[in-house]
Amino acid sequence: INYAIKYKVKYFINTDTFYEKYKDSYSISKKHFKELLFFYRNRINIINLKIAHMYGPNDNDIKFLPSLLNQFESNIKNIEILTPYENKDFIFIDDVVDCYLKIIQNISIFKKKYYDLDIGRNKLVTLKKFVITSKKIYNESKKEIKTVITFKKNTNKRVKKTKPSLKHEILKKIKWFPK
């Protein structure tokens, strides 16, 4: 940040994390860095992009969707979903890249000193629904799998369904929307 200010960088685009909680050292460092950026907002223009649950080709195998598909491919006998009523907003990587490009191409319309933008589809889905739908699509496109999916019983209480945040007006101005 200090070098960006020293060399008069006009805009700093930060890639934030969708993790709300302090999950691990990575998410803690992301949250701390966002706080630092906010602190320096009067000295440099900040565009903070909080990316939803991103997926796509060559994704890390430990992430949710690749892990799930690998389990389907391996025909794992039983998959247990621990938080079936947790809501996620999934977004394809090409949509995220398109958002970055549109921001860069339209950088001059970012007039405020600090933007905090949620980059996602703005559609929440429970993990339970997502997993059931994924299995159905997998079965239709590949081979029928015998995997049994169980959902943790002690989580029958539904997680409060929070509405996805409304699309920020600036994203409408740059004509970005996920495809």
Side-chain angles (χ1 to χ4, degrees):
I1 298 171
N2 288 331
Y3 279 109
I5 293 168
K6 179 180 177 180
Y7 291 103
K8 299 180 181 8
V9 170
K10 292 186 180 188
Y11 293 91
F12 191 106
I13 301 173
N14 182 51
T15 304
D16 198 356
T17 179
F18 65 88
Y19 290 118
E20 292 297 326
K21 297 178 182 164
Y22 297 107
K23 180 180 181 222
D24 52 24
S25 60
Y26 173 79
S27 62
I28 290 170
S29 68
K30 286 286 200 179
K31 294 301 176 193
H32 182 65
F33 191 69
K34 178 183 172 181
E35 290 169 359
L36 284 171
L37 288 170
F38 186 77
F39 178 79
Y40 284 103
R41 73 190 179 282
N42 291 325
R43 297 179 67 193
I44 186 170
N45 298 310
I46 307 295
I47 302 170
N48 186 65
L49 304 179
K50 187 168 69 171
I51 312 299
H53 199 90
M54 186 171 46
Y55 68 94
N58 303 313
D59 216 342
N60 187 328
D61 284 343
I62 65 170
K63 287 179 65 182
F64 183 74
L65 183 57
S67 171
L68 181 66
L69 294 177
N70 286 337
Q71 290 176 73
F72 288 165
E73 195 67 34
S74 301
N75 212 1
I76 299 292
K77 299 247 184 272
N78 186 37
I79 298 173
E80 184 178 52
I81 305 299
L82 301 176
T83 56
Y85 298 106
E86 185 177 327
N87 291 301
K88 295 282 184 197
D89 182 2
F90 291 91
I91 186 165
F92 191 62
I93 188 163
D94 290 356
D95 289 328
V96 174
V97 170
D98 183 52
C99 183
Y100 277 90
L101 292 173
K102 288 232 165 103
I103 287 171
I104 291 167
Q105 292 163 353
N106 295 281
I107 199 76
S108 63
I109 70 169
F110 287 80
K111 302 290 186 197
K112 291 191 316 187
K113 286 294 204 173
Y114 186 87
Y115 289 87
D116 196 16
L117 306 174
D118 290 326
I119 307 304
R121 291 179 54 242
N122 255 9
K123 294 179 182 175
L124 294 176
V125 62
T126 64
L127 289 179
K128 181 175 182 176
K129 183 176 181 180
F130 184 83
V131 170
I132 290 169
T133 303
S134 297
K135 182 180 177 190
K136 181 181 174 198
I137 292 169
Y138 185 89
N139 281 340
E140 290 169 358
S141 65
K142 298 266 184 169
K143 57 185 177 192
E144 185 72 29
I145 56 172
K146 304 276 190 253
T147 301
V148 175
I149 301 169
T150 57
F151 300 98
K152 189 89 170 162
K153 289 185 180 170
N154 66 354
T155 57
N156 333 16
K157 294 189 289 184
R158 296 211 174 248
V159 173
K160 191 163 81 175
K161 189 163 186 170
T162 55
K163 289 184 179 178
S165 62
L166 296 173
K167 285 275 185 235
H168 197 284
E169 284 301 314
I170 199 86
L171 295 176
K172 291 177 186 173
K173 281 185 182 177
I174 66 172
K175 296 181 171 100
W176 177 79
F177 58 91
K179 296 174 186 98

